[in-house]
PDB file of all heavy atoms in Angstrom:
ATOM      1  N   ASP O  85      33.445  74.594   5.413  1.00 97.00           N
ATOM      2  CA  ASP O  85      33.722  73.980   6.702  1.00 97.00           C
ATOM      3  C   ASP O  85      35.093  73.332   6.698  1.00 97.00           C
ATOM      4  O   ASP O  85      35.316  72.427   5.888  1.00 97.00           O
ATOM      5  CB  ASP O  85      32.588  72.947   6.902  1.00 97.00           C
ATOM      6  CG  ASP O  85      32.781  72.240   8.306  1.00 97.00           C
ATOM      7  OD1 ASP O  85      33.852  72.416   8.915  1.00 97.00           O
ATOM      8  OD2 ASP O  85      31.890  71.515   8.687  1.00 97.00           O
ATOM      9  N   PRO O  86      36.014  73.893   7.483  1.00 96.00           N
ATOM     10  CA  PRO O  86      37.398  73.359   7.452  1.00 96.00           C
ATOM     11  C   PRO O  86      37.505  71.841   7.774  1.00 96.00           C
ATOM     12  O   PRO O  86      38.508  71.231   7.476  1.00 96.00           O
ATOM     13  CB  PRO O  86      38.141  74.159   8.368  1.00 96.00           C
ATOM     14  CG  PRO O  86      37.098  74.859   9.319  1.00 96.00           C
ATOM     15  CD  PRO O  86      35.848  74.905   8.482  1.00 96.00           C
ATOM     16  N   GLU O  87      36.439  71.367   8.443  1.00 97.00           N
ATOM     17  CA  GLU O  87      36.467  69.937   8.839  1.00 97.00           C
ATOM     18  C   GLU O  87      36.168  69.031   7.658  1.00 97.00           C
ATOM     19  O   GLU O  87      36.456  67.837   7.648  1.00 97.00           O
ATOM     20  CB  GLU O  87      35.439  69.630   9.988  1.00 97.00           C
ATOM     21  CG  GLU O  87      35.707  70.362  11.260  1.00 97.00           C
ATOM     22  CD  GLU O  87      37.082  69.736  11.826  1.00 97.00           C
ATOM     23  OE1 GLU O  87      37.121  68.546  11.953  1.00 97.00           O
ATOM     24  OE2 GLU O  87      37.970  70.581  12.066  1.00 97.00           O
ATOM     25  N   VAL O  88      35.475  69.641   6.665  1.00 98.00           N
ATOM     26  CA  VAL O  88      35.075  68.760   5.491  1.00 98.00           C
ATOM     27  C   VAL O  88      36.248  68.690   4.488  1.00 98.00           C
ATOM     28  O   VAL O  88      36.726  69.740   3.980  1.00 98.00           O
ATOM     29  CB  VAL O  88      33.820  69.378   4.765  1.00 98.00           C
ATOM     30  CG1 VAL O  88      33.488  68.682   3.509  1.00 98.00           C
ATOM     31  CG2 VAL O  88      32.609  69.341   5.739  1.00 98.00           C
ATOM     32  N   ALA O  89      36.607  67.515   4.224  1.00 98.00           N
ATOM     33  CA  ALA O  89      37.710  67.299   3.261  1.00 98.00           C
ATOM     34  C   ALA O  89      37.217  66.681   1.899  1.00 98.00           C
ATOM     35  O   ALA O  89      37.967  66.776   0.969  1.00 98.00           O
ATOM     36  CB  ALA O  89      38.748  66.234   3.860  1.00 98.00           C
ATOM     37  N   LEU O  90      35.977  66.266   1.915  1.00 98.00           N
ATOM     38  CA  LEU O  90      35.529  65.572   0.658  1.00 98.00           C
ATOM     39  C   LEU O  90      34.029  65.600   0.613  1.00 98.00           C
ATOM     40  O   LEU O  90      33.305  65.427   1.632  1.00 98.00           O
ATOM     41  CB  LEU O  90      36.012  64.048   0.749  1.00 98.00           C
ATOM     42  CG  LEU O  90      35.605  63.096  -0.308  1.00 98.00           C
ATOM     43  CD1 LEU O  90      36.089  63.585  -1.704  1.00 98.00           C
ATOM     44  CD2 LEU O  90      36.186  61.732  -0.041  1.00 98.00           C
ATOM     45  N   ALA O  91      33.537  65.818  -0.607  1.00 98.00           N
ATOM     46  CA  ALA O  91      32.060  65.838  -0.800  1.00 98.00           C
ATOM     47  C   ALA O  91      31.730  65.083  -2.065  1.00 98.00           C
ATOM     48  O   ALA O  91      32.536  64.945  -2.938  1.00 98.00           O
ATOM     49  CB  ALA O  91      31.554  67.321  -0.955  1.00 98.00           C
ATOM     50  N   GLY O  92      30.511  64.565  -2.092  1.00 98.00           N
ATOM     51  CA  GLY O  92      30.139  63.801  -3.252  1.00 98.00           C
ATOM     52  C   GLY O  92      28.634  63.890  -3.503  1.00 98.00           C
ATOM     53  O   GLY O  92      27.929  64.598  -2.724  1.00 98.00           O
ATOM     54  N   GLY O  93      28.144  63.174  -4.473  1.00 97.00           N
ATOM     55  CA  GLY O  93      26.726  63.313  -4.838  1.00 97.00           C
ATOM     56  C   GLY O  93      25.930  62.188  -4.141  1.00 97.00           C
ATOM     57  O   GLY O  93      24.659  62.315  -3.976  1.00 97.00           O
ATOM     58  N   VAL O  94      26.550  61.073  -3.730  1.00 97.00           N
ATOM     59  CA  VAL O  94      25.785  59.990  -3.100  1.00 97.00           C
ATOM     60  C   VAL O  94      26.755  59.239  -2.277  1.00 97.00           C
ATOM     61  O   VAL O  94      27.943  59.044  -2.545  1.00 97.00           O
ATOM     62  CB  VAL O  94      25.191  59.015  -4.168  1.00 97.00           C
ATOM     63  CG1 VAL O  94      26.186  58.448  -5.073  1.00 97.00           C
ATOM     64  CG2 VAL O  94      24.396  57.924  -3.504  1.00 97.00           C
ATOM     65  N   GLY O  95      26.263  58.871  -1.052  1.00 97.00           N
ATOM     66  CA  GLY O  95      27.147  58.129  -0.121  1.00 97.00           C
ATOM     67  C   GLY O  95      26.344  57.397   0.992  1.00 97.00           C
ATOM     68  O   GLY O  95      25.175  57.480   0.996  1.00 97.00           O
ATOM     69  N   ALA O  96      27.093  56.803   1.912  1.00 95.00           N
ATOM     70  CA  ALA O  96      26.449  56.066   2.925  1.00 95.00           C
ATOM     71  C   ALA O  96      27.199  56.146   4.293  1.00 95.00           C
ATOM     72  O   ALA O  96      28.445  56.414   4.232  1.00 95.00           O
ATOM     73  CB  ALA O  96      26.342  54.582   2.533  1.00 95.00           C
TER      74      ALA O  96
END
Side-chain angles (χ1 to χ4, degrees):
Chain O
D85 180 347
E87 293 298 304
V88 173
L90 176 58
V94 58

